[in-house]
Amino acid sequence: MQQPVNYDSDFCGSLPIHLTNLIQSYGLLLVIEPVNYTIVQASENTTVVFGSRAQDLVGNPIASFISEKSNADFLQRLTDGANTVIPMVWEVGQNNYVVLIHRKEKFLVIELELKAINENSNERFIDVYQEMKYAMSAIEATRTIEETCTLVARELKRISGFDKVMVYQFDEQWNGHVLAEAKESDMESYFGFTFPASDIPKPARDLYLRNSFRLIPDRNYTPVRLHPVINPITNSFIDLSDCNLRSVAAVHVEYLGNMGVTASMSTRILHHDALWGLIACHHKTPKYLSYAMTSMFEMMSSIISVKITSLQNQTLHASQSTLTAGYAELIEAIYKKEKLDSTMLSATGLMNLFECSGMTISRGGKFTSVGEVPAVGDLDELILWLHTRALKKVYTTDRLSQAYEYAKLFEDIASGLMVIPINAAIDEYVLLFRPEKVHVIQWGGNPEERIQFEQDQRTYHPRHSFKVWQQTVRGISLPWRAEQTAAAEALRSFIYEYETTLVR
Ligand code: BLA
């Protein structure tokens, strides 16, 4: 069978999305050298704010274009602390603008939102903060991940006014599962859907480790170029990784169009410094968010990440204490009865501890089994295969037939296998089996069509339809949790000690 292309790691995964000399048009961007604060690059949309074109700004000090007070504040802020992004307000003529200053090694990058600050707007910090306070205490009260995500979707939709807010979690292959959704009735529902990893490939995901959100207020924007195109300090395209204004990859603009979305915002959820999931917000029409609102998303991102981490830790601790208690009971029973194998095979033994439905102990070419296990002939084959692996540590798989094709014949009872080697050289093992758990994935559109190439084999497009596409997955069991494998490893050492110090 031909292996499908992994577009997440290949192709889409190699797009250099941070190196672009274009920005989105809701703001302007300046690159300033940090000695005399002279403008060295400017986006070609400066006239609306500064009354001067990019080419007239370049070569002049920024002090000539902003109020004296703003300039003094600016210089002061640069001497404060080591923050890499400094937010401030610049007064230009009669208007005040939100500005983000990014400190780069050789220069300063300034992002300025074109929409002047309006003191009468209902998106003042205090108003947004009050809404957030309410949401924060509601989130605090939730007890499960599903409950947290459902509440987050509902509250963020209410506060931000987006037409749809979804919370999705990445799996081990970086596919995303929509766990919660709050939406207007005319928006398509993606609740329960899975989206392939290449929809948001590695370079795009990695940026969330540096920035908490990505905002695209209007996918129909006309990209604005920087002048000059090449940064004269670095002699290359400027790295816009951390800039909100960074222009959007064309494939993603098309993707949003195919989804019927004009504005999009996604905010990270982290777990132990890795990307756990995203909060994806969609709007049918353009939607600009004030600095107060994006800051709210930033803060909520941290709060939600802490909450999810704490809930996951609780589940882990509960699972670990059940395992620890079960393990201690087992060891005690083994010492009491002085019968290793029969105690492991007993009702309160390993099957119970490791949540399996069948177990076999292989010793001296013979099998002793309980529960649902493969036929003796199949066990013989399995032992031959295991022999070639010369196991020294516990081995687990939740998809045995992918590693060992013959196992397809008995995958209904043994899709999952845990092997605790006692003495692999003479084929002595404890084998634990988990049955197949057939599950249906509801893909958001056919994943086979996730990228479409034109005849030239170079021009490509994202898929057109996100209508549910069902895939039945066979040959996979419930996964082995890391703490279960760790307990099995402890048991392997115990068995070794026990067998070498006691006669069985
Ligand atoms: C970006 N893709 C993204 C982003 C999201 C998704 C959230 C971040 C930008 C944003 O917030 O809009 C994906 N959005 C989703 C998913 C859901 C959603 C899964 O709402 C589900 C509910 N995209 C493709 C293909 C490629 C691709 C085939 O479909 C690559 C060839 C790439 N996606 C791609 C790139 C970006 C992206 C390059 C980064 C865009 C950017 O930041 O410039």
Side-chain angles (χ1 to χ4, degrees), residues 11-12 15 17 166 168 178 190 195 198-201 204 208 214 216 246-249 251-252 255-256 259 264-266 278 280 282 450-451 460 462:
F11 197 75
C12 301
L15 295 176
I17 55 173
M166 292 165 283
Y168 70 83
V178 180
Y190 296 150
F195 289 83
S198 55
D199 281 17
I200 172 159
Y208 293 92
R214 174 75 167 135
I216 303 164
R246 177 172 53 84
S247 198
V248 185
V251 61
H252 187 56
Y255 180 95
L256 293 174
M259 271 188 170
S264 162
M265 158 123 182
S266 47
L278 285 177
H282 289 171
R450 57 188 163 308
I451 182 158
Y460 56 88

Side-chain angles (χ1 to χ4, degrees), residues 206-224:
D206 284 353
L207 287 179
Y208 293 92
L209 300 178
R210 305 165 58 146
N211 311 302
S212 51
F213 68 87
R214 174 75 167 135
L215 172 64
I216 303 164
D218 182 358
R219 74 172 166 84
N220 296 314
Y221 72 97
T222 308
V224 184

